[in-house]
Amino acid sequence: MAELRAFFSSHEDLTQVILYALVITSLWVAEVSLFGYSLKNKWKHTAVNSLFIFTALPIQLLLTTFIVLISSWANIHHWGLINFIPYHHNAWVYYITLFILLDLCEYVYHVIMHKVDTLWKFHLVHHSDLRVDVSTTIREHPGETCVRTCFLMLWTFLLGPAVGVLILRQTFQSISNVSAHTEFRLSPRANKIIGLLFITPNLHHVHHHYQLPYTDCNYGDVLSIWDRLFGTYTELDREETVFGIDTHMDEKVNGNFLNVIKVPFQKLERKENHSVVKKN
Ligand SMILES: [Zn+2]
Ligand SMILES: [Zn+2]
């Protein structure tokens, strides 16, 4: 047992991957049992998304090594914005400030992925899922995995967080991302309270609505405060939410891994060219 504990504490990234897989699998089983889906249909949808694990994992594990190196260098040299924050030697101030700043960075990253045409071509693969469930969490084009991890290198360089902060942040981020995609939704009352601070499934489902302006709203990663602050917060009832992206609604393309992988290399049809519904 002690050897097992020692192994997992020295392989943090592997531990995170195993925990992530366990949470996703449990929620997937819960979705099948509680929503009464046919196992065949649910599995057909999940199979496509599951293949993204094999492209994401090697990229993520390789590039994480560079993030750890940047973090260690920054800490040895007292480099990064965190060193200018008053009372940053206090562990609470240090962890909470960096957590909030990293969340702001993720918000900025998500907005960039939507607004820069070349990057949107990769990010729309995540949005092209015509049914959002827990497996959508891992539907990420390998090109986006590279870009996302490179941005995290940049944030690590600018802010200078210790590896411990990055691990804590990754844990919260994984829980938040998985729960944001699950088909389980909060009651309107619970959503009002929890959504004041955090991104809920109800809020992220709006981000997956197929039409503008909803696609360009609720960019938040863990916290919803940035959307409220920068005017990108919005709500939409489940009954009115249609998953997908209006430029890529073809089920034959979206339900085939190899077709989806090719999407970023095809001509981009801007989502702005499509019907924009009036925001409530
Ligand atoms: Zn998005
Ligand atoms: Zn999503």
Side-chain angles (χ1 to χ4, degrees), residues 126 136 181 204 207-208:
H126 177 68
T136 311
H181 291 100
H204 193 67
H207 184 70
H208 277 271

Side-chain angles (χ1 to χ4, degrees), residues 110 114 120 123 126-127 207 215 219:
H110 199 169
H114 276 245
W120 167 246
H123 184 60
H126 177 68
H127 281 267
H207 184 70
T215 317
Y219 290 109

Side-chain angles (χ1 to χ4, degrees), residues 72-223:
S72 308
W73 178 87
N75 277 267
I76 291 167
H77 295 88
H78 303 288
W79 174 269
L81 191 67
I82 188 62
N83 297 292
F84 297 96
I85 302 289
Y87 308 109
H88 69 272
H89 290 297
N90 178 295
W92 284 100
V93 174
Y94 184 81
Y95 272 79
I96 292 172
T97 307
L98 279 168
F99 186 92
I100 294 171
L101 288 175
L102 282 165
D103 200 72
L104 172 61
C105 290
E106 289 298 330
Y107 173 90
V108 171
Y109 159 76
H110 199 169
V111 174
I112 292 172
M113 292 307 283
H114 276 245
K115 300 297 177 190
V116 177
D117 281 2
T118 316
L119 298 179
W120 167 246
K121 282 171 151 191
F122 289 95
H123 184 60
L124 77 81
V125 167
H126 177 68
H127 281 267
S128 68
D129 208 351
L130 300 178
R131 172 176 166 180
V132 170
D133 68 5
V134 72
S135 75
T136 311
T137 320
I138 48 178
R139 186 183 172 102
E140 182 183 71
H141 193 281
E144 178 169 2
T145 311
C146 281
V147 174
R148 184 173 48 76
T149 322
C150 287
F151 264 99
L152 186 55
M153 285 183 208
L154 175 66
W155 309 138
T156 306
F157 179 74
L158 293 176
L159 301 175
V163 175
V165 177
L166 294 172
I167 293 170
L168 181 84
R169 165 88 204 153
Q170 182 61 55
T171 309
F172 273 91
Q173 201 176 13
S174 300
I175 296 167
S176 174
N177 289 349
V178 171
S179 57
H181 291 100
T182 177
E183 289 181 278
F184 297 102
R185 287 169 68 96
L186 299 175
S187 68
R189 196 176 147 76
N191 184 54
K192 273 267 176 287
I193 299 165
I194 300 172
L196 276 176
L197 204 58
F198 298 102
I199 288 292
T200 63
N202 309 37
L203 293 177
H204 193 67
H205 285 180
V206 180
H207 184 70
H208 277 271
H209 182 67
Y210 82 123
Q211 276 181 317
L212 286 171
Y214 298 98
T215 317
D216 287 356
C217 286
N218 298 359
Y219 290 109
D221 191 34
V222 176
L223 303 173

